[in-house]
Protein backbone atom coordinates (compact mmCIF):
# COMPACT_ATOMS: atom_id res chain seq x y z
CA UNK A 1 0.00 0.00 0.00
CA UNK A 2 1.44 3.38 -0.99
CA UNK A 3 1.37 6.42 1.27
CA UNK A 4 -1.56 8.03 -0.59
CA UNK A 5 -3.77 5.00 -0.09
CA UNK A 6 -2.77 4.92 3.57
CA UNK A 7 -3.89 8.53 4.02
CA UNK A 8 -7.20 7.80 2.31
CA UNK A 9 -7.93 4.96 4.72
CA UNK A 10 -8.50 7.56 7.44
CA UNK A 11 -10.81 9.76 5.36
CA UNK A 12 -14.61 9.57 5.41
CA UNK A 13 -15.34 11.42 2.17
CA UNK A 14 -16.54 14.68 3.71
CA UNK A 15 -13.11 16.25 3.11
CA UNK A 16 -13.83 16.42 -0.63
CA UNK A 17 -16.85 18.64 0.09
CA UNK A 18 -14.51 21.52 0.94
CA UNK A 19 -13.73 23.33 -2.30
CA UNK A 20 -12.25 26.55 -0.99
CA UNK A 21 -8.76 27.92 -0.44
CA UNK A 22 -6.38 27.02 2.37
CA UNK A 23 -3.41 29.23 3.28
CA UNK A 24 -0.66 27.51 5.28
CA UNK A 25 2.25 28.35 7.49
CA UNK A 26 3.98 26.33 10.20
CA UNK A 27 5.72 26.73 13.52
CA UNK A 28 8.10 24.61 15.61
CA UNK A 29 9.55 22.78 12.62
CA UNK A 30 12.83 21.38 13.97
CA UNK A 31 13.81 19.77 10.64
CA UNK A 32 14.92 16.80 12.72
CA UNK A 33 13.98 15.92 16.29
CA UNK A 34 16.44 13.51 17.89
CA UNK A 35 17.46 12.25 21.30
CA UNK A 36 20.76 13.49 22.69
CA UNK A 37 22.44 12.99 26.04
CA UNK A 38 20.71 16.02 27.58
CA UNK A 39 17.29 14.90 26.30
CA UNK A 40 16.45 16.18 22.81
CA UNK A 41 18.32 18.34 20.31
CA UNK A 42 15.47 20.86 20.53
CA UNK A 43 13.43 21.54 23.68
CA UNK A 44 9.99 19.93 23.31
CA UNK A 45 8.41 20.55 26.72
CA UNK A 46 4.84 21.74 26.09
CA UNK A 47 5.59 22.25 22.39
CA UNK A 48 3.57 21.23 19.36
CA UNK A 49 4.32 21.34 15.66
CA UNK A 50 1.49 23.30 14.03
CA UNK A 51 0.67 23.50 10.33
CA UNK A 52 -2.36 25.53 9.35
CA UNK A 53 -3.71 29.01 8.98
CA UNK A 54 -6.48 30.84 7.13
CA UNK A 55 -9.13 29.31 4.88
CA UNK A 56 -11.94 30.56 2.68
CA UNK A 57 -14.99 28.65 1.55
CA UNK A 58 -14.50 29.86 -2.04
CA UNK A 59 -11.43 30.13 -4.27
CA UNK A 60 -12.03 33.80 -4.96
CA UNK A 61 -9.13 36.03 -3.82
CA UNK A 62 -9.47 37.50 -0.34
CA UNK A 63 -9.69 41.28 -0.13
CA UNK A 64 -7.34 42.29 2.66
CA UNK A 65 -7.82 46.07 2.36
CA UNK A 66 -10.26 46.26 5.28
CA UNK A 67 -7.92 44.27 7.51
CA UNK A 68 -4.89 46.37 6.64
CA UNK A 69 -6.93 49.45 7.46
CA UNK A 70 -7.92 48.00 10.85
CA UNK A 71 -4.24 47.25 11.53
CA UNK A 72 -3.26 50.73 10.34
CA UNK A 73 -0.99 49.24 7.66
CA UNK A 74 -0.42 50.19 4.03
CA UNK A 75 -0.55 47.72 1.14
CA UNK A 76 3.21 47.97 0.74
CA UNK A 77 3.84 47.53 4.49
CA UNK A 78 6.27 44.85 5.72
CA UNK A 79 4.95 41.33 6.23
CA UNK A 80 2.33 40.69 8.88
CA UNK A 81 3.93 38.08 11.13
CA UNK A 82 3.04 36.68 14.52
CA UNK A 83 6.26 38.13 15.89
CA UNK A 84 5.05 41.57 14.75
CA UNK A 85 1.58 41.10 16.22
CA UNK A 86 3.01 40.01 19.56
CA UNK A 87 6.58 39.38 20.63
CA UNK A 88 7.51 35.77 19.89
CA UNK A 89 8.86 35.19 23.40
CA UNK A 90 5.91 36.87 25.12
CA UNK A 91 3.94 35.09 27.80
CA UNK A 92 0.65 33.72 26.47
CA UNK A 93 -1.40 35.97 28.72
CA UNK A 94 0.52 38.98 27.37
CA UNK A 95 -0.12 37.79 23.81
CA UNK A 96 -3.84 38.02 24.54
CA UNK A 97 -3.37 41.76 25.12
CA UNK A 98 -2.35 42.34 21.48
CA UNK A 99 -4.79 44.79 19.89
CA UNK A 100 -3.73 43.71 16.40
CA UNK A 101 -4.40 40.06 17.20
CA UNK A 102 -7.86 41.06 18.41
CA UNK A 103 -8.48 42.97 15.16
CA UNK A 104 -7.40 39.99 13.04
CA UNK A 105 -9.72 37.58 14.85
CA UNK A 106 -12.59 40.09 14.62
CA UNK A 107 -11.95 40.51 10.89
CA UNK A 108 -12.03 36.74 10.30
CA UNK A 109 -15.17 36.33 12.42
CA UNK A 110 -16.98 39.14 10.60
CA UNK A 111 -16.55 37.44 7.20
CA UNK A 112 -18.60 34.23 7.07
CA UNK A 113 -16.52 32.94 4.13
CA UNK A 114 -13.38 32.89 6.26
CA UNK A 115 -12.26 30.02 8.48
CA UNK A 116 -9.22 28.83 10.38
CA UNK A 117 -7.65 25.39 10.02
CA UNK A 118 -4.84 23.57 11.78
CA UNK A 119 -3.00 20.30 12.25
CA UNK A 120 -1.03 20.04 15.50
CA UNK A 121 1.23 17.38 16.96
CA UNK A 122 2.32 17.40 20.59
CA UNK A 123 5.97 16.39 20.31
CA UNK A 124 6.29 14.56 23.63
CA UNK A 125 3.02 12.72 23.04
CA UNK A 126 4.19 11.72 19.57
CA UNK A 127 7.44 10.32 20.99
CA UNK A 128 5.41 7.80 23.01
CA UNK A 129 3.01 6.58 20.33
CA UNK A 130 5.28 3.84 18.96
CA UNK A 131 5.48 2.24 22.39
CA UNK A 132 1.75 1.66 22.57
CA UNK A 133 1.53 0.77 18.88
CA UNK A 134 4.12 -1.92 19.52
CA UNK A 135 1.85 -3.45 22.15
CA UNK A 136 -0.93 -3.66 19.55
CA UNK A 137 1.31 -5.86 17.39
CA UNK A 138 0.65 -8.71 19.85
CA UNK A 139 -2.36 -10.56 18.50
CA UNK A 140 -4.15 -10.80 21.85
CA UNK A 141 -3.86 -7.02 22.26
CA UNK A 142 -5.21 -6.02 18.86
CA UNK A 143 -8.85 -5.44 19.95
CA UNK A 144 -7.52 -2.78 22.35
CA UNK A 145 -6.57 -0.57 19.41
CA UNK A 146 -10.01 1.04 19.65
CA UNK A 147 -8.72 2.63 22.89
CA UNK A 148 -5.44 3.76 21.36
CA UNK A 149 -5.90 7.45 22.26
CA UNK A 150 -6.81 6.67 25.87
CA UNK A 151 -3.86 4.28 26.26
CA UNK A 152 -1.34 6.64 24.67
CA UNK A 153 -2.70 9.43 26.85
CA UNK A 154 -2.24 7.25 29.93
CA UNK A 155 1.43 6.74 29.07
CA UNK A 156 1.82 10.48 28.44
CA UNK A 157 0.31 11.32 31.83
CA UNK A 158 2.57 8.77 33.53
CA UNK A 159 5.80 10.14 32.07
CA UNK A 160 5.06 13.84 31.51
CA UNK A 161 5.79 14.99 35.12
CA UNK A 162 9.36 13.72 34.67
CA UNK A 163 9.64 14.38 30.94
CA UNK A 164 13.23 15.69 30.96
CA UNK A 165 14.58 12.73 32.94
CA UNK A 166 12.48 10.26 30.95
CA UNK A 167 13.91 11.54 27.66
CA UNK A 168 17.44 11.10 29.03
CA UNK A 169 16.54 7.52 29.94
CA UNK A 170 15.24 6.92 26.41
CA UNK A 171 18.57 8.15 25.07
CA UNK A 172 20.41 5.72 27.37
CA UNK A 173 18.36 2.89 25.84
CA UNK A 174 19.20 4.16 22.33
CA UNK A 175 15.47 4.70 21.71
CA UNK A 176 13.80 4.25 19.30
CA UNK A 177 16.15 1.43 18.28
CA UNK A 178 16.01 -0.85 21.34
CA UNK A 179 18.45 -3.76 21.28
CA UNK A 180 17.05 -7.22 22.04
CA UNK A 181 19.04 -7.54 25.27
CA UNK A 182 17.49 -4.32 26.60
CA UNK A 183 13.85 -4.98 25.74
CA UNK A 184 12.85 -6.44 29.12
CA UNK A 185 14.61 -3.72 31.13
CA UNK A 186 13.07 -1.03 28.97
CA UNK A 187 9.54 -2.37 29.44
CA UNK A 188 10.13 -2.67 33.21
CA UNK A 189 11.08 1.00 33.23
CA UNK A 190 7.78 1.89 31.57
CA UNK A 191 5.85 -0.25 34.03
CA UNK A 192 7.54 1.58 36.91
CA UNK A 193 6.32 4.91 35.55
CA UNK A 194 2.81 3.54 35.03
CA UNK A 195 2.60 2.05 38.53
CA UNK A 196 3.84 5.30 40.08
CA UNK A 197 1.07 7.10 38.24
CA UNK A 198 -1.52 4.64 39.55
CA UNK A 199 -0.78 5.62 43.14
CA UNK A 200 -1.88 9.18 42.34
CA UNK A 201 -5.13 8.45 40.51
CA UNK A 202 -8.54 9.10 42.01
CA UNK A 203 -10.49 9.16 38.74
CA UNK A 204 -11.85 5.64 38.11
CA UNK A 205 -11.79 5.94 34.33
CA UNK A 206 -8.19 7.19 34.30
CA UNK A 207 -7.26 4.35 36.64
CA UNK A 208 -8.95 1.86 34.31
CA UNK A 209 -7.02 3.07 31.25
CA UNK A 210 -3.73 3.19 33.17
CA UNK A 211 -4.16 -0.37 34.43
CA UNK A 212 -5.27 -1.43 30.95
CA UNK A 213 -2.02 0.04 29.61
CA UNK A 214 0.06 -1.77 32.23
CA UNK A 215 -1.48 -5.11 31.34
CA UNK A 216 -1.12 -4.36 27.63
CA UNK A 217 2.63 -3.77 27.67
CA UNK A 218 3.61 -6.45 30.20
CA UNK A 219 3.85 -9.16 27.48
CA UNK A 220 6.42 -7.04 25.64
CA UNK A 221 9.00 -8.03 28.26
CA UNK A 222 9.29 -11.38 26.50
CA UNK A 223 9.73 -9.90 23.04
CA UNK A 224 12.96 -10.66 21.22
CA UNK A 225 12.76 -7.32 19.46
CA UNK A 226 10.54 -4.27 19.14
CA UNK A 227 9.74 -3.87 15.46
CA UNK A 228 8.43 -0.32 15.69
CA UNK A 229 11.74 0.76 17.18
CA UNK A 230 14.01 -0.74 14.54
CA UNK A 231 14.49 2.47 12.59
CA UNK A 232 17.58 3.03 10.51
CA UNK A 233 18.48 6.43 11.92
CA UNK A 234 19.32 5.89 15.58
CA UNK A 235 17.84 8.31 18.12
CA UNK A 236 15.73 10.10 15.50
CA UNK A 237 12.23 10.76 16.78
CA UNK A 238 10.66 12.87 14.03
CA UNK A 239 11.89 14.13 10.68
CA UNK A 240 9.18 13.37 8.12
CA UNK A 241 7.60 16.81 7.97
CA UNK A 242 6.86 16.30 4.29
CA UNK A 243 4.41 13.56 5.25
CA UNK A 244 2.48 16.02 7.42
CA UNK A 245 2.16 18.40 4.47
CA UNK A 246 1.03 15.54 2.24
CA UNK A 247 -1.58 14.52 4.79
CA UNK A 248 -3.19 17.94 4.35
CA UNK A 249 -3.01 17.92 0.55
CA UNK A 250 -4.56 14.51 -0.10
CA UNK A 251 -7.91 14.99 1.71
CA UNK A 252 -8.59 18.38 0.10
CA UNK A 253 -8.18 17.39 -3.54
CA UNK A 254 -11.04 19.72 -4.57
CA UNK A 255 -9.57 22.71 -2.74
CA UNK A 256 -6.65 25.02 -3.47
CA UNK A 257 -3.79 24.84 -0.96
CA UNK A 258 -1.17 27.59 -0.75
CA UNK A 259 1.89 26.88 1.39
CA UNK A 260 4.64 29.18 2.57
CA UNK A 261 7.91 28.29 0.85
CA UNK A 262 9.72 25.47 2.60
CA UNK A 263 12.69 24.63 0.42
CA UNK A 264 13.90 21.79 2.64
CA UNK A 265 10.85 19.65 1.86
CA UNK A 266 9.28 21.01 -1.33
CA UNK A 267 10.96 18.50 -3.63
CA UNK A 268 9.97 15.59 -1.36
CA UNK A 269 6.33 16.70 -1.31
CA UNK A 270 6.17 17.23 -5.06
CA UNK A 271 7.71 13.80 -5.70
CA UNK A 272 5.28 12.21 -3.27
CA UNK A 273 2.23 13.94 -4.76
CA UNK A 274 2.94 13.87 -8.48
CA UNK A 275 -0.72 13.16 -9.29
CA UNK A 276 -1.98 16.16 -7.31
CA UNK A 277 -2.20 19.67 -8.74
CA UNK A 278 -4.18 21.31 -5.94
CA UNK A 279 -1.23 22.86 -4.08
CA UNK A 280 1.57 25.36 -4.57
CA UNK A 281 4.34 27.04 -2.60
CA UNK A 282 4.63 30.83 -2.52
CA UNK A 283 6.81 33.40 -0.83
CA UNK A 284 4.86 34.82 2.10
CA UNK A 285 5.92 38.34 1.07
CA UNK A 286 3.75 37.90 -2.00
CA UNK A 287 0.64 36.64 -0.23
CA UNK A 288 -1.10 38.23 2.75
CA UNK A 289 -3.07 35.01 3.26
CA UNK A 290 0.12 33.18 4.17
CA UNK A 291 1.08 36.05 6.48
CA UNK A 292 -2.22 35.78 8.36
CA UNK A 293 -1.64 32.01 8.49
CA UNK A 294 1.65 32.74 10.29
CA UNK A 295 -0.28 34.72 12.92
CA UNK A 296 -2.86 31.97 13.37
CA UNK A 297 -0.42 29.07 13.78
CA UNK A 298 1.76 31.18 16.06
CA UNK A 299 -1.22 31.80 18.30
CA UNK A 300 -2.34 28.15 18.26
CA UNK A 301 1.17 27.03 19.19
CA UNK A 302 1.28 29.41 22.15
CA UNK A 303 -2.23 28.39 23.20
CA UNK A 304 -1.33 24.69 23.31
CA UNK A 305 1.90 25.43 25.18
CA UNK A 306 -0.08 27.37 27.77
CA UNK A 307 -2.71 24.62 28.16
CA UNK A 308 -0.08 21.85 28.35
CA UNK A 309 1.83 23.67 31.07
CA UNK A 310 -1.08 24.77 33.26
CA UNK A 311 -3.56 22.92 35.43
CA UNK A 312 -7.27 23.69 35.46
CA UNK A 313 -7.07 25.60 38.75
CA UNK A 314 -4.37 27.89 37.33
CA UNK A 315 -6.34 28.45 34.13
CA UNK A 316 -9.45 29.38 36.12
CA UNK A 317 -7.44 31.88 38.14
CA UNK A 318 -5.94 33.33 34.95
CA UNK A 319 -9.33 33.66 33.24
CA UNK A 320 -10.81 35.41 36.26
CA UNK A 321 -7.96 37.93 36.22
CA UNK A 322 -8.05 38.56 32.45
CA UNK A 323 -9.23 41.83 30.99
CA UNK A 324 -12.33 41.86 28.82
CA UNK A 325 -10.12 42.20 25.72
CA UNK A 326 -8.02 39.16 26.66
CA UNK A 327 -11.13 37.02 27.11
CA UNK A 328 -12.53 38.34 23.83
CA UNK A 329 -9.46 37.17 21.91
CA UNK A 330 -9.98 33.65 23.25
CA UNK A 331 -13.73 33.73 22.64
CA UNK A 332 -13.24 34.80 19.04
CA UNK A 333 -10.68 32.03 18.52
CA UNK A 334 -12.98 29.35 19.98
CA UNK A 335 -15.84 30.71 17.85
CA UNK A 336 -13.63 30.27 14.79
CA UNK A 337 -12.82 26.70 15.79
CA UNK A 338 -16.52 25.95 16.07
CA UNK A 339 -17.19 27.51 12.65
CA UNK A 340 -14.38 25.48 11.05
CA UNK A 341 -15.59 22.23 12.61
CA UNK A 342 -19.10 22.81 11.26
CA UNK A 343 -17.76 23.61 7.80
CA UNK A 344 -15.55 20.50 7.58
CA UNK A 345 -14.39 18.43 10.53
CA UNK A 346 -11.11 17.67 8.78
CA UNK A 347 -10.07 21.32 8.95
CA UNK A 348 -9.04 20.80 12.58
CA UNK A 349 -6.87 17.76 13.26
CA UNK A 350 -4.80 17.32 16.42
CA UNK A 351 -2.44 14.67 17.77
CA UNK A 352 -2.78 15.68 21.41
CA UNK A 353 -3.18 13.72 24.67
CA UNK A 354 -6.59 13.52 26.29
CA UNK A 355 -5.42 15.61 29.24
CA UNK A 356 -4.62 18.51 26.90
CA UNK A 357 -7.90 18.08 25.05
CA UNK A 358 -9.82 18.15 28.32
CA UNK A 359 -8.01 21.24 29.57
CA UNK A 360 -8.62 22.99 26.26
CA UNK A 361 -12.32 22.20 26.55
CA UNK A 362 -12.39 23.47 30.13
CA UNK A 363 -10.68 26.70 29.07
CA UNK A 364 -13.26 27.15 26.34
CA UNK A 365 -16.09 26.64 28.86
CA UNK A 366 -14.53 29.13 31.28
CA UNK A 367 -14.36 31.78 28.56
CA UNK A 368 -17.87 31.13 27.33
CA UNK A 369 -19.19 31.36 30.89
CA UNK A 370 -18.30 35.06 30.95
CA UNK A 371 -20.41 35.70 27.84
CA UNK A 372 -23.45 33.59 28.62
CA UNK A 373 -24.10 34.45 32.23
CA UNK A 374 -27.60 35.72 32.87
Amino acid sequence: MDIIELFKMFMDGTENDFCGTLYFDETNNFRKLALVEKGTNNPIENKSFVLGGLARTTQEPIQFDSLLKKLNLQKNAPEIKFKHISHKQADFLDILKSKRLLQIFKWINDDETLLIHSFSTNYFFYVLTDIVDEAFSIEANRPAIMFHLELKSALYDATKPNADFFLKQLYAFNYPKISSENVCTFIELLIDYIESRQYELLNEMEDFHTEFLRQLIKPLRKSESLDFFSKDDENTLFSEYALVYAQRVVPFENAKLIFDREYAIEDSIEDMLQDFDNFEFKDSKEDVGIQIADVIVGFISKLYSYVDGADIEQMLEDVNEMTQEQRLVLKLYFDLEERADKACRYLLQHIQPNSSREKMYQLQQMIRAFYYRK
Side-chain angles (χ1 to χ4, degrees):
M1 180 184 298
D2 66 23
I3 194 68
I4 307 303
E5 291 303 315
L6 181 62
F7 291 161
K8 290 183 176 180
M9 282 180 59
F10 297 96
M11 294 164 52
D12 63 10
T14 59
E15 305 87 354
N16 293 334
D17 294 337
F18 187 82
C19 303
T21 307
L22 300 166
Y23 298 88
F24 288 83
D25 207 337
E26 62 172 19
T27 189
N28 292 331
N29 182 336
F30 300 138
R31 305 294 183 262
K32 176 180 176 180
L33 179 65
L35 287 169
V36 293
E37 189 172 359
K38 65 179 181 180
T40 52
N41 62 330
N42 289 283
I44 62 172
E45 183 178 7
N46 302 327
K47 282 192 176 181
S48 293
F49 169 70
V50 183
L51 175 68
L54 184 67
R56 197 182 190 196
T57 53
T58 75
Q59 295 190 15
E60 294 296 319
I62 300 174
Q63 299 301 317
F64 291 101
D65 292 358
S66 61
L67 174 62
L68 295 175
K69 185 175 181 180
K70 287 177 182 292
L71 298 178
N72 196 27
L73 295 173
Q74 303 298 320
K75 284 186 177 181
N76 58 351
E79 287 186 89
I80 304 169
K81 292 283 192 178
F82 181 69
K83 64 183 179 181
H84 300 146
I85 299 300
S86 183
H87 193 277
K88 193 173 183 179
Q89 303 304 321
D91 177 85
F92 178 69
L93 299 179
D94 288 331
I95 290 170
L96 295 177
K97 297 176 184 177
S98 169
K99 296 186 183 303
R100 283 185 168 178
L101 181 62
L102 177 59
Q103 289 297 333
I104 289 172
F105 282 167
K106 280 183 176 180
W107 175 75
I108 301 172
N109 268 274
D110 289 344
D111 187 338
E112 293 185 355
T113 70
L114 297 180
L115 303 165
I116 63 170
H117 65 99
S118 65
F119 176 91
S120 72
T121 300
N122 180 302
Y123 274 116
F124 185 68
F125 182 62
Y126 180 86
V127 167
L128 305 173
T129 57
D130 271 356
I131 296 171
V132 180
D133 286 339
E134 176 68 19
F136 294 143
S137 68
I138 298 174
E139 186 172 356
N141 288 343
R142 285 174 188 167
I145 198 168
M146 67 179 67
F147 299 106
H148 75 98
L149 179 57
E150 291 82 0
L151 295 167
K152 292 170 182 176
S153 296
L155 184 56
Y156 174 90
D157 292 337
T159 53
K160 176 67 161 52
N162 300 289
D164 288 343
F165 183 61
F166 181 68
L167 290 169
K168 292 175 183 177
Q169 289 177 305
L170 292 184
Y171 175 78
F173 275 99
N174 206 33
Y175 183 91
K177 194 171 184 179
I178 309 292
S179 62
S180 56
E181 60 268 23
N182 287 329
V183 168
C184 183
T185 308
F186 177 70
I187 299 303
E188 289 289 355
L189 171 70
L190 297 177
I191 291 174
D192 286 344
Y193 273 98
I194 294 167
E195 291 178 344
S196 295
R197 170 70 175 165
Q198 287 180 299
Y199 287 120
E200 304 170 357
L201 292 175
L202 298 175
N203 183 298
E204 290 185 6
M205 188 55 68
E206 279 190 282
D207 188 44
F208 169 77
H209 289 133
T210 305
E211 175 60 19
F212 194 175
L213 174 66
R214 190 175 76 89
Q215 296 296 336
L216 199 73
I217 70 171
K218 280 169 61 177
L220 292 177
R221 291 179 296 189
K222 299 178 182 179
S223 299
E224 293 183 4
S225 63
L226 298 176
D227 293 339
F228 278 81
F229 303 150
S230 59
K231 299 179 179 178
D232 294 332
D233 197 354
E234 295 182 0
N235 300 131
T236 297
L237 301 173
F238 191 79
S239 61
E240 297 296 332
Y241 289 93
L243 288 176
V244 181
Y245 277 71
Q247 280 182 293
R248 302 311 281 164
V249 172
V250 173
F252 296 112
E253 59 183 341
N254 293 323
K256 180 180 180 181
L257 289 76
I258 303 173
F259 294 100
D260 188 18
R261 297 226 77 100
E262 188 60 36
Y263 295 104
I265 61 175
E266 285 183 35
D267 288 344
S268 297
I269 296 169
E270 289 169 355
D271 287 344
M272 196 184 308
L273 302 175
Q274 293 182 21
D275 295 333
F276 289 78
D277 59 1
N278 59 330
F279 70 98
E280 64 176 311
F281 290 88
K282 293 179 67 176
D283 191 322
S284 61
K285 292 176 180 160
E286 302 171 2
D287 199 308
V288 181
I290 297 174
Q291 296 173 32
I292 302 303
D294 180 274
V295 175
I296 293 169
V297 297
F299 176 80
I300 293 173
S301 171
K302 291 291 187 179
L303 173 60
Y304 269 106
S305 291
Y306 167 74
V307 169
D308 288 341
D311 56 33
I312 292 176
E313 291 75 15
Q314 181 62 55
M315 290 194 302
L316 180 58
E317 182 179 335
D318 290 342
V319 170
N320 284 329
E321 293 180 357
M322 285 179 188
T323 64
Q324 184 176 347
E325 287 75 17
Q326 285 175 298
R327 294 191 200 106
L328 182 55
V329 170
L330 280 171
K331 178 187 180 296
L332 291 171
Y333 171 75
F334 288 130
D335 286 348
L336 287 172
E337 275 203 330
E338 186 175 331
R339 182 194 290 180
D341 190 58
K342 288 180 179 178
C344 176
R345 68 170 190 83
Y346 212 82
L347 287 171
L348 303 174
Q349 296 287 302
H350 304 292
I351 301 176
Q352 299 285 342
N354 276 347
S355 54
S356 296
R357 293 168 185 262
E358 174 61 23
K359 287 192 288 182
M360 188 70 77
Y361 172 76
Q362 291 295 336
L363 177 61
Q364 179 181 354
Q365 295 306 106
M366 292 174 199
I367 293 297
R368 294 205 186 284
F370 276 90
Y371 290 90
Y372 297 107
R373 288 174 177 170
K374 293 184 180 179

